[in-house]
Amino acid sequence: MNNGLVNAIIAYIMWGVLPIYWKLFNDVPAGEILSHRVVWSFVFMGILVAVQRRWGDMKRIAANRALLLPLAASGLLIAANWLIFIWAVNSGHVVETSLGYYLNPLLNVVLAVFFLREKPNRGQWLAIAIAGAAVLIIAIDYGRFPWVAITLAASFGLYGLAKKKIVQDASVGLLSETAVVLPIALGYCIYLAAAGETTAWTLPASTFVELLLSGVVTALPLLFFARAAARMSLSTLGFVQYIGPTIMLFLSVFLFKESVSRVLLVGFALIWTALVVYAVASIRGARLAKAS
C-alpha cells in the first residue's frame, strides 16, 4: 500500500505539470501531437522492455485472446484521453481539464463499487458526498455543459478500471497498449505527410527534439500509475488523484492567466476538505481492520 501510494503521488505530480510541456507545441494540431506521442511512447517502451528482456511476455500476450481485448480497450481509452487533454490545454481550457480530473475520483468510486465490489465506509461516503457537491458547484458556475471535463473523467476512469482488471507487468502492459493504437498513429502521420499538412517536421530542431521526448514524458507517469493501480484500491487511488488537477488549477491561474471565479475557489476548498475527511476515514478503517 505504501509503495502504491508513493507511485501514485509521483504519477499525479507528473501529470499535474504536464500542461507546461504541451504548451510548447501550440502551433502543432492536437491530432498530430497525439500521433507522435503514441509513436515515440512505443519506441521508448520497446527499448525499456528490450533492456528488461521481456519480449517473451509480449509474444505470450499476442497469443492470449483473453488479455488482448482488455489491453486493446485500455489502449484506445488512454489515446482518447490524450487527444482531448492535448486539445484542451492548447486551446486554453486548462481549468476545464482540471475539473475533469476532479470528477474522475468520484467516477472511480462508482466504478469500484459496481465492478470491483469495493465498499467505502461511512466516512469515505461523506467525503465522496462533499466532493460531489463541490464538483456540482464548479460545474454550475462554469456556465455550460463541461464536455471536455466529462470526457476526460470517463476515459481515464474506465482506463483505471481496465488496469485493475489486467494482471500484467507495467512495462509490458503499457507497450501492449501503445502497440494497439500504433497503426492508427502511423497511418495518420503518413496521411499528413502525403497531404503536405505535416507541422512537426517544420519545427525548430530543439522543439522537435522535445516532441521526440513526448514518449518518455508520456510513459513515465503511466508506469508509476500502473504500479500504483496494482497495489491500491481504485477508490483510494482516485482520491490521491486530486494532486494532479490541483497543480493544473494553480498553473491555469498563475501561469496561463485563465480566469477563475470565487465560486470555483469555494469548490476547490470543499474538495480539499473531502480529501482530509477521506484520509481520516481510511486511516480509522485500517486501524479497525487490524484490531479485529
Side-chain angles (χ1 to χ4, degrees), residues 182-222:
L182 180 66
I184 301 173
L186 286 174
Y188 189 65
C189 286
I190 294 170
Y191 162 76
L192 289 176
E197 297 177 3
T198 183
T199 305
W201 300 103
T202 65
L203 293 171
S206 59
T207 307
F208 184 72
V209 170
E210 289 165 345
L211 184 59
L212 296 184
L213 291 175
S214 63
V216 179
V217 171
T218 296
L220 285 180
L222 282 172

Side-chain angles (χ1 to χ4, degrees), residues 46-271:
I47 294 171
L48 183 59
V49 168
V51 170
Q52 295 174 336
R53 299 181 179 180
R54 305 295 297 273
W55 277 103
D57 292 341
M58 288 294 295
K59 292 179 181 178
R60 283 189 285 274
I61 288 174
N64 188 339
R65 292 184 179 179
L67 267 178
L68 281 177
L69 185 59
L71 281 170
S74 61
L76 292 171
L77 284 166
I78 197 61
N81 183 271
W82 292 346
L83 177 61
I84 296 162
F85 182 83
I86 293 168
W87 175 86
V89 167
N90 287 350
S91 300
H93 299 290
V94 179
V95 171
E96 193 169 348
T97 64
S98 177
L99 174 58
Y101 290 112
Y102 277 133
L103 279 168
N104 183 241
L106 302 176
L107 180 60
N108 277 1
V109 174
V110 174
L111 293 173
V113 170
F114 284 98
F115 292 100
L116 302 179
R117 306 300 181 186
E118 293 180 13
K119 295 181 179 180
N121 59 38
R122 290 182 180 179
Q124 291 170 329
W125 277 119
L126 174 61
I128 293 165
I130 295 171
V135 170
L136 182 61
I137 290 170
I138 292 170
I140 292 172
D141 178 65
Y142 198 68
R144 59 184 174 83
F145 184 75
W147 72 268
V148 170
I150 298 296
T151 310
L152 284 174
S155 58
F156 198 76
L158 291 170
Y159 175 74
L161 178 63
K163 296 300 286 184
K164 290 293 290 183
K165 294 287 188 178
I166 300 170
V167 181
Q168 189 55 254
D169 174 77
S171 300
V172 175
L174 182 52
L175 178 59
S176 303
E177 291 166 7
T178 52
V180 169
V181 290
L182 180 66
I184 301 173
L186 286 174
Y188 189 65
C189 286
I190 294 170
Y191 162 76
L192 289 176
E197 297 177 3
T198 183
T199 305
W201 300 103
T202 65
L203 293 171
S206 59
T207 307
F208 184 72
V209 170
E210 289 165 345
L211 184 59
L212 296 184
L213 291 175
S214 63
V216 179
V217 171
T218 296
L220 285 180
L222 282 172
L223 286 172
F224 284 112
F225 175 78
R227 289 170 180 166
R231 294 170 173 83
M232 300 174 67
S233 69
L234 186 61
S235 52
T236 301
L237 182 64
F239 264 79
V240 179
Q241 183 181 337
Y242 278 130
I243 293 170
T246 300
I247 295 173
M248 291 180 199
L249 186 61
F250 277 109
L251 289 177
S252 68
V253 175
F254 296 108
L255 185 61
F256 304 135
K257 306 302 180 181
E258 293 187 30
S259 60
V260 179
S261 67
R262 292 182 180 179
V263 176
L264 184 61
L265 295 177
V266 170
F268 172 76
L270 283 173
I271 284 170

